[in-house]
């Protein structure tokens, strides 16, 4: 992606410098080149204003949100896995004790463990399902927001409007952006 951004912009910069008639035109061409790189590499802020709101409207902010949700879900999955292993260990220990007593000629179980049969009951807890459902919805929304932002930035990067000090307006359109192809 960076090669596409730098290479395509470089050709435009060279043409602009060759057509320049003054140092101001060269400086303007260079500034336009730098701004185009920032915009096409998706590093620019899309909105001015509240820093927190602006951050959530950037690719970086959206990626951080998605990674945060993924980390939260990973911790939840680790919690479920750890509790399941503990339950399996308790059940295995109880079975071994019952087998040992059975081999000695005593009937298998001597005590009743009410929780023994409920090793995995907590997995059917509706709160767990709600948590998973809520997390999945958060992730879907964050991913959707990221894709919308990327589409907007690709469109903005392909339709750059430049206005010189003398009032001349240029609309630059680049149809060869690789990111646009990736986002359909």
């Amino acid at each position: 992606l960076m090669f596409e951004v730098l290479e395509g912009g470089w050709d435009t910069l060279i043409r602009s410098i060759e057509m320049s008639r003054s140092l101001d035109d060269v400086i303007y061409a260079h500034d336009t080149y730098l701004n185009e790189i920032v915009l096409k590499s998706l590093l620019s802020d899309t909105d001015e204003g509240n820093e927190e709101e602006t951050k959530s409207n950037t690719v970086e902010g959206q990626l951080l949100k998605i990674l945060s949700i993924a980390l939260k879900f990973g911790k939840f999955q680790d919690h479920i896995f750890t509790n399941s292993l503990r339950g399996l260990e308790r059940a295995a220990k109880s079975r071994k004790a019952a087998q040992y007593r059975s081999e000695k000629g005593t009937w298998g179980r001597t005590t009743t463990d009410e929780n023994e049969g409920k090793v995995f009951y907590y997995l059917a807890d509706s709160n767990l399902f709600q948590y998973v459902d809520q997390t999945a919805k958060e992730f879907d929304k964050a991913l959707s927001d990221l894709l919308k932002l990327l589409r907007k930035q690709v469109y903005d990067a392909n339709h750059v409007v430049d206005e010189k000090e003398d009032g001349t307006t240029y609309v630059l359109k680049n149809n060869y952006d690789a990111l646009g192809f990736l986002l359909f």
Side-chain angles (χ1 to χ4, degrees):
L1 177 64
M2 286 307 294
F3 177 78
E4 291 291 327
V5 169
L6 295 174
E7 187 67 23
W10 182 257
D11 293 339
T12 305
L13 174 65
I14 296 299
R15 280 194 304 268
S16 297
I17 290 175
E18 288 173 353
M19 294 182 349
S20 297
R21 294 182 181 188
S22 69
L23 181 59
D24 287 339
D25 289 342
V26 171
I27 291 171
Y28 179 78
H30 185 257
D31 287 346
T32 302
Y33 171 69
L34 294 178
N35 289 336
E36 189 175 318
I37 288 173
V38 169
L39 184 64
K40 286 187 174 184
S41 61
L42 308 174
L43 296 174
S44 66
D45 291 338
T46 56
D47 295 321
E48 300 290 327
N50 182 355
E51 185 176 325
E52 190 62 35
E53 185 178 313
T54 298
K55 189 169 187 172
S56 71
N57 290 330
T58 63
V59 173
E60 175 191 12
Q62 290 298 323
L63 286 174
L64 286 174
K65 186 185 288 186
I66 287 172
L67 292 174
S68 170
I69 293 168
L71 180 62
K72 182 170 75 168
F73 187 75
K75 287 179 179 179
F76 170 75
Q77 187 177 13
D78 183 54
H79 170 76
I80 294 294
F81 185 72
T82 302
N83 283 344
S84 298
L85 285 179
R86 285 186 195 136
L88 286 172
E89 287 171 2
R90 283 193 308 270
K93 187 176 179 181
S94 179
R95 275 193 307 273
K96 282 184 182 180
Q99 183 180 359
Y100 176 76
R101 284 190 297 277
S102 178
E103 289 172 357
K104 294 282 185 188
T106 324
W107 188 248
R109 303 209 184 270
T110 57
T111 61
T112 13
D113 183 2
E114 291 180 18
N115 293 326
E116 186 179 338
K118 300 178 182 177
V119 172
F120 295 107
Y121 277 3
Y122 74 95
L123 291 176
D125 183 3
S126 65
N127 291 331
L128 294 178
F129 288 109
Q130 288 174 354
Y131 181 81
V132 170
D133 188 49
Q134 176 190 353
T135 304
K137 287 177 181 173
E138 281 180 50
F139 184 82
D140 286 346
K141 181 176 177 351
L143 185 59
S144 176
D145 290 347
L146 174 64
L147 291 174
K148 286 177 189 173
L149 181 63
L150 288 173
R151 282 188 191 100
K152 181 186 179 316
Q153 286 199 359
V154 166
Y155 178 83
D156 290 349
N158 285 329
H159 298 85
V160 178
V161 177
D162 281 333
E163 193 169 317
K164 283 191 163 186
E165 288 178 18
D166 64 0
T168 310
T169 302
Y170 296 95
V171 177
L172 305 174
K173 186 169 188 219
N174 177 3
N175 290 324
Y176 304 106
D177 195 4
L179 191 56
F181 171 74
L182 293 174
L183 294 175
F184 319 125

